[in-house]
Amino acid sequence: TIDAGQPWNGGVSYFEFFDTGNWQGGADAYLGLRVNHGVDFNYGWAHVVYDDAANTMTLKEFAIEQTVNTAIIAGDVGTPNAVPEPGTLFLAALGLGGMALRRRRAAQLA
């Protein structure tokens, strides 16, 4: 959980946490983020992969809690919005229109 209880270093607005030790040699880790709004903060996380040999850091994903002073769990992206299915009425109308078009063509050929 990322919130006010974490070891924020004064003006530094991130902290590192993971289960595999320090960053030397590379790491697949999370960074806790804190965005300052005066007396209020938004908390977030960034999932990064650090490659020591290449001296690169790749951002895999991130999230920021939109409600101020509210904790967020690292790796939690919330509930994704459902993709709406095509409406049943639209599909029925499309089918009826196709049947009417076919009947009209059949009548023209007769």
Side-chain angles (χ1 to χ4, degrees), residues 40-57:
D40 293 317
F41 298 96
N42 287 89
Y43 296 98
W45 55 266
H47 184 189
V48 297
V49 174
Y50 175 66
D51 183 341
D52 196 35
N55 196 27
T56 61
M57 185 177 285

Side-chain angles (χ1 to χ4, degrees), residues 28-49:
D28 187 336
Y30 288 93
L31 295 175
L33 307 173
R34 180 175 72 170
V35 180
N36 188 341
H37 298 287
V39 296
D40 293 317
F41 298 96
N42 287 89
Y43 296 98
W45 55 266
H47 184 189
V48 297
V49 174

Side-chain angles (χ1 to χ4, degrees), residues 1-75:
T1 301
I2 302 164
D3 58 16
Q6 299 301 324
W8 303 104
N9 296 323
V12 177
S13 293
Y14 74 92
F15 70 95
E16 60 190 64
F17 58 99
F18 48 93
D19 297 328
T20 58
N22 59 27
W23 289 87
Q24 280 75 29
D28 187 336
Y30 288 93
L31 295 175
L33 307 173
R34 180 175 72 170
V35 180
N36 188 341
H37 298 287
V39 296
D40 293 317
F41 298 96
N42 287 89
Y43 296 98
W45 55 266
H47 184 189
V48 297
V49 174
Y50 175 66
D51 183 341
D52 196 35
N55 196 27
T56 61
M57 185 177 285
T58 303
L59 176 65
K60 294 178 84 173
E61 58 188 339
F62 69 94
I64 299 286
E65 173 59 52
Q66 296 299 306
T67 306
V68 296
N69 302 321
T70 301
I72 188 170
I73 297 172

